[in-house]
Amino acid sequence: MSRKLRVALLAAATALAFADSSIVVLGPLLARCGRARVSMPGGDDFGKRPIDMHLKGLEALGATFELRKGYIEARTEGLRGADITLDFPSVGATENIVMAAIVAKGTTVLDNAAREPEIADLCHFLNDMGADIEGVGSPTLTIHGVSSADLSAADHRVVADRVQAATYMAAVAACQGEIVVKGAQLEHMDMFIRRLREMGVQFTDQTDGILVYADGRRLRSLDVQTLPYPGFATDYKPLVVTLLTVADGVGIVTENLYP
C-alpha cells in the first residue's frame, strides 16, 4: 500500500469518526459560550443516530434548539440544574449533559446514565478541574454546578482504550501465542475477558497491563448478546464473530443495541 493511499485512508477514517462526534461538543459549548452551532451527526453508516436524548437533556437544563439545513443551532440564557432520566444509557448524551451541567446553577441529577469506564474517566477529569460530580461509575450522577471561574487546567492521563486492547487480545486468540497489553485494565473489560475465557483464552492481570495467551488448542464456540455496559459491547462483536469462524461448534451472536 502506497504512503499516499495510507494517508488518504487515515484521513477518511478520521473524518468519519469526527463527523459522528460533532454532537458531543454541544454541551460544553453551551456551558462556555451560551450558544453553539454544530452539524448533525454523520459517521459510519450502521443505522440511525438519534440525538433526541441529547437535546431533551440539554433542554431540561435551559437550552433551546433550532434545526437548520443540517445544523443544530442552540442557545441558552443560563443553564440551571434539573432532574433528568435517560430513556437509554447513552454514552454521548451522558457526556453532553454532564459537561453542560457542571456550570449550571443548582444541582443536576442524571439517572440511567451510561457507566462506561470512559464516562467515569471524564468525570474524574472534570472533578480534577474543579467540577463537583458525585456517584461516578454508577447509573446516577449528581452534579453540583460551579462557577466557570472555579474551573482550572489539570493534568490527566486518558484511560486505556478497551476496544483497541480487545483487538490485540482477539488477534492472539485467533493466531495463538501471547502478548502483554500494557495499560489495559481487567475490570474495564470484564465481560469481554469472561467470554474469551469460555472460548479457551487465558488472561493474567499484571501491574503494567494484561498478559493474554492461547496454548494452541482450538477455541470453543459460545453464544453472545450485546448489551449496554457492563454488558458485552457492540464494538467487541466483530472480534468475537471472527474468532467463532475458527472455533469448534456453532456460535450465535445477537445484536440488541443497533439495527
Side-chain angles (χ1 to χ4, degrees):
M1 184 184 296
S2 70
R3 182 178 180 279
K4 286 185 178 180
L5 180 56
R6 288 198 302 270
V7 171
L9 289 173
L10 178 61
T14 303
L16 287 173
F18 278 97
D20 187 48
S21 299
S22 61
I23 192 69
V24 185
V25 302
L26 190 56
L29 282 176
L30 279 169
R32 182 179 178 88
C33 306
R35 58 182 296 183
R37 183 174 185 266
V38 302
S39 64
M40 290 289 288
D44 45 330
D45 184 15
F46 65 83
K48 293 182 179 179
R49 298 172 179 269
I51 59 171
D52 54 314
M53 284 186 286
H54 296 252
L55 302 187
K56 287 179 182 177
L58 294 172
E59 280 179 339
L61 294 174
T64 59
F65 299 95
E66 290 185 25
L67 304 181
R68 294 182 180 176
K69 298 181 179 180
Y71 285 87
I72 304 167
E73 297 187 5
R75 291 180 179 274
T76 181
E77 297 300 322
L79 298 175
R80 59 187 180 276
D83 292 339
I84 303 169
T85 300
L86 297 180
D87 296 332
F88 177 85
S90 162
V91 170
T94 299
E95 293 169 337
N96 247 333
I97 293 167
V98 167
M99 288 189 284
I102 59 173
V103 293
K105 290 184 178 180
T107 296
T108 298
V109 178
L110 178 59
D111 279 321
N112 201 25
R115 298 164 56 191
E116 275 78 355
E118 294 77 22
I119 296 292
D121 191 51
L122 172 64
C123 290
H124 288 310
F125 179 37
L126 294 172
N127 280 341
D128 287 344
M129 294 177 67
D132 187 355
I133 305 170
E134 299 177 354
V136 177
S138 78
T140 300
L141 298 174
T142 302
I143 305 121
H144 304 287
V146 300
S147 168
S148 296
D150 293 331
L151 299 177
S152 59
D155 292 333
H156 183 73
R157 185 180 182 87
V158 176
V159 71
D161 188 313
R162 294 174 293 131
V163 179
Q164 184 180 24
T167 303
Y168 290 119
M169 293 173 179
V172 168
C175 302
Q176 305 300 312
E178 66 178 52
I179 189 173
V180 174
V181 187
K182 292 188 174 181
Q185 299 183 45
L186 205 64
E187 64 272 20
H188 291 175
M189 308 177 65
D190 178 66
M191 189 58 66
F192 178 77
I193 290 174
R194 188 183 306 179
R195 303 319 302 271
L196 259 64
R197 277 180 170 148
E198 293 177 29
M199 299 184 77
V201 185
Q202 301 180 63
F203 298 86
T204 301
D205 197 11
Q206 298 187 339
T207 55
D208 61 343
I210 302 174
L211 170 64
V212 188
Y213 52 101
D215 57 11
R217 287 179 290 184
R218 192 171 175 87
L219 299 174
R220 299 183 293 272
S221 290
L222 79 171
D223 296 345
V224 175
Q225 295 191 40
T226 64
L227 290 168
Y229 190 87
F232 193 90
T234 291
D235 291 322
Y236 295 148
K237 181 177 62 177
L239 308 176
V240 171
V241 169
T242 302
L243 295 181
L244 288 173
T245 67
V246 294
D248 275 335
V250 176
I252 298 175
V253 181
T254 304
E255 174 58 65
N256 291 316
L257 302 184
Y258 298 100

